[in-house]
Amino acid sequence: MLRSRVPTPAWARVPAERRHRGDRLVAAVIVLLLAGAALLYGLQSPAARTTSEPAGTPATAPPPAGPVPDRFTERWQAPSPATPVPTVAGAGVVVADGSRVSGRDAGTGTERWSYSRDLPLCTVAEGYGRVMALYRNGEYCSELSTLDPDTGTRGPARTLDARPGTRLIGTDPVLATGQDYVETFRSDLVRTAEYGTVRALEEPGDQPRTGCSFRSFAAAEDRAGVLERCPGDRGERLSMLRPSGTEGDQPAFDSSEVLGTDGAQLIAVSPERAAVLLPGVPRLLLLDRSGDRVGEFPVGAGGPIHVPADGVARTSTDRDHRYWWTGGATVALDLRTLQPLWTVPGSLGPGTRYGDRLLVPVPGGLADVDPATGEVARTVPVDRAGREGPVQVAAQGNMLVELHGTDVVVLGPA
């Protein structure tokens, strides 16, 4: 039987040694290309541009605050221009300067951990039990890193669309502020709402208004307030976002009402109320969840009203009150109704709880105040070494952290 002869393919006529040498060459080229791509990615990745030095030992918290001492003395200080408020987190104190965030021992100022990137810091805050460090990348404050407050180890990260000058305020939600754009995010850092000039709008018409400028901000449980000025409105508008009701780019609102003012400030919000400082003779306008006016209350401002450049009123909070610094006085507001209760005139900042007392910064020291009545028992001396101007203060155990401009100064019982 005759069998047809199938021609041998050209590749099969190449000697085996040459074929194997060519295969090895191709494989080597592929390996080199993959290695180069991996190296390029590594050099450009955030991890490669990050220096992280976690704590080597467990954190030791200072003793709890007891009775107010007869005197506080300075223990240590550090520049911290990226923390707009005194930042106490975990067992220590957080300071931030340039591109570097560090956790300090509250009592000694010894650095326990540090974290830095090759990007400038926009702002640093505490939220959801973490340190939140927001870095600027190009035109936006977009790179958010979270850090364990006691060890400095890195946690979840995400990108934001915040503009320079932003603040991270509130908890549940955290609100990232901005002149024409805000966004909120929850504890897993997932964005829950965005409002204003959205960079990548999904659908035209998702945002209810355009061209608005945002002037002041506040946040509370599932609420974020923006006082804004919009084209066509007869005065300023108060818009109260409800992040849990938001879908996609379409923000949900409890209310959005034109106030007819020019020069007002949003001071605080609660789950059911919003407090707005009206221009002219100082008085607080209270509005309910639907935006209806509840009433107006006079305020003893104690001097010229402080207008914060970042749009965030200088306040502090305990379990019963919100304390607001007007620029010349500290006013206690009921935490739920936001109605003014009492005033400490001549103060330099809102104050902080210290045990069962409230310590309010005043010239020459700290006023020892009964938080229930506002009665001042005495002034505890503090030598501030000639530092003048507003003071923000927070307690970390029995230590006090004062922020003077861009410097953190930590005080301890004498």
Side-chain angles (χ1 to χ4, degrees):
M1 173 182 287
L2 294 175
R3 296 181 179 178
S4 60
R5 189 180 184 92
V6 178
T8 302
W11 64 267
R13 294 195 297 271
V14 178
E17 181 180 351
R18 287 176 56 193
R19 289 203 308 272
H20 292 162
R21 189 164 56 245
D23 291 344
R24 288 194 294 270
L25 179 61
V26 171
V29 170
I30 292 174
V31 169
L32 287 174
L33 288 174
L34 290 174
L39 177 62
L40 182 62
Y41 173 79
L43 291 174
Q44 293 181 345
S45 70
R49 304 193 303 268
T50 296
T51 301
S52 178
E53 298 179 356
T57 58
T60 301
V68 177
D70 292 332
R71 190 177 185 86
F72 285 96
T73 59
E74 182 177 320
R75 298 293 180 85
W76 59 274
Q77 61 175 296
S80 189
T83 55
V85 298
T87 304
V88 296
V93 178
V94 176
V95 301
D97 185 12
S99 299
R100 194 166 186 269
V101 187
S102 64
R104 306 291 187 93
D105 181 275
T108 65
T110 302
E111 185 176 283
R112 301 192 62 259
W113 58 262
S114 67
Y115 177 86
S116 62
R117 297 186 60 178
D118 66 344
L119 299 171
L121 278 163
C122 289
T123 190
V124 172
E126 189 276 337
Y128 301 121
R130 307 186 189 107
V131 178
M132 300 183 295
L134 183 59
Y135 287 87
R136 180 172 180 172
N137 192 350
E139 297 181 6
Y140 289 84
C141 293
S142 57
E143 307 291 325
L144 179 65
S145 301
T146 64
L147 308 166
D148 183 278
D150 288 324
T151 65
T153 54
R154 286 177 285 183
R158 61 156 295 197
T159 58
L160 277 68
D161 284 339
R163 279 58 161 176
T166 187
R167 286 277 307 273
L168 302 176
I169 62 172
T171 296
D172 198 24
V174 168
L175 170 68
T177 69
Q179 294 182 352
D180 61 0
Y181 170 86
V182 296
E183 64 177 272
T184 63
F185 55 90
R186 63 194 190 199
S187 59
D188 59 3
L189 306 190
V190 172
R191 180 188 292 133
T192 49
E194 55 183 346
Y195 175 50
T197 304
V198 177
R199 179 159 54 158
L201 195 63
E202 292 181 4
E203 296 291 341
D206 278 354
Q207 293 293 318
R209 285 167 291 279
T210 59
C212 302
S213 60
F214 298 167
R215 298 185 172 181
S216 57
F217 317 88
E221 300 170 31
D222 196 29
R223 305 188 80 200
V226 178
L227 186 69
E228 56 185 322
R229 193 68 166 88
C230 298
D233 284 347
R234 299 187 312 276
E236 293 162 321
R237 172 187 292 270
L238 177 62
S239 297
M240 295 300 306
L241 286 102
R242 181 166 35 85
S244 65
T246 295
E247 295 184 4
D249 282 342
Q250 295 182 333
F253 297 88
D254 285 334
S255 62
S256 185
E257 302 293 332
V258 176
L259 302 180
T261 57
D262 192 13
Q265 285 189 52
L266 178 58
I267 301 302
V269 298
S270 73
E272 299 297 332
R273 296 278 183 90
V276 176
L277 177 66
L278 297 175
V281 177
R283 59 208 191 281
L284 275 184
L285 170 65
L286 301 185
L287 303 100
D288 66 15
R289 197 177 184 97
S290 299
D292 295 331
R293 300 183 180 218
V294 176
E296 293 183 15
F297 298 86
V299 172
I305 293 294
H306 173 67
V307 180
D310 56 20
V312 180
R314 299 305 186 246
T315 66
S316 61
T317 306
D318 62 21
R319 61 181 178 271
D320 299 312
H321 305 103
R322 183 176 291 272
Y323 305 102
W324 162 48
W325 184 62
T326 67
T330 296
V331 179
L333 310 177
D334 181 274
L335 194 60
R336 183 179 62 85
T337 67
L338 302 183
Q339 184 171 332
L341 301 174
W342 50 256
T343 301
V344 173
S347 65
L348 300 174
T352 188
R353 283 297 289 263
Y354 191 91
D356 60 358
R357 304 293 289 179
L358 177 74
L359 295 180
V360 175
V362 294
L366 294 151
D368 180 0
V369 181
D370 182 341
T373 65
E375 180 181 354
V376 179
R378 57 176 173 153
T379 296
V380 180
V382 174
D383 181 2
R384 295 195 173 103
R387 303 181 190 95
E388 298 180 351
V391 179
Q392 297 186 81
V393 60
Q396 177 63 286
N398 70 340
M399 308 297 291
L400 290 177
V401 184
E402 290 193 341
L403 183 65
H404 298 262
T406 60
D407 293 327
V408 162
V409 179
V410 177
L411 310 173

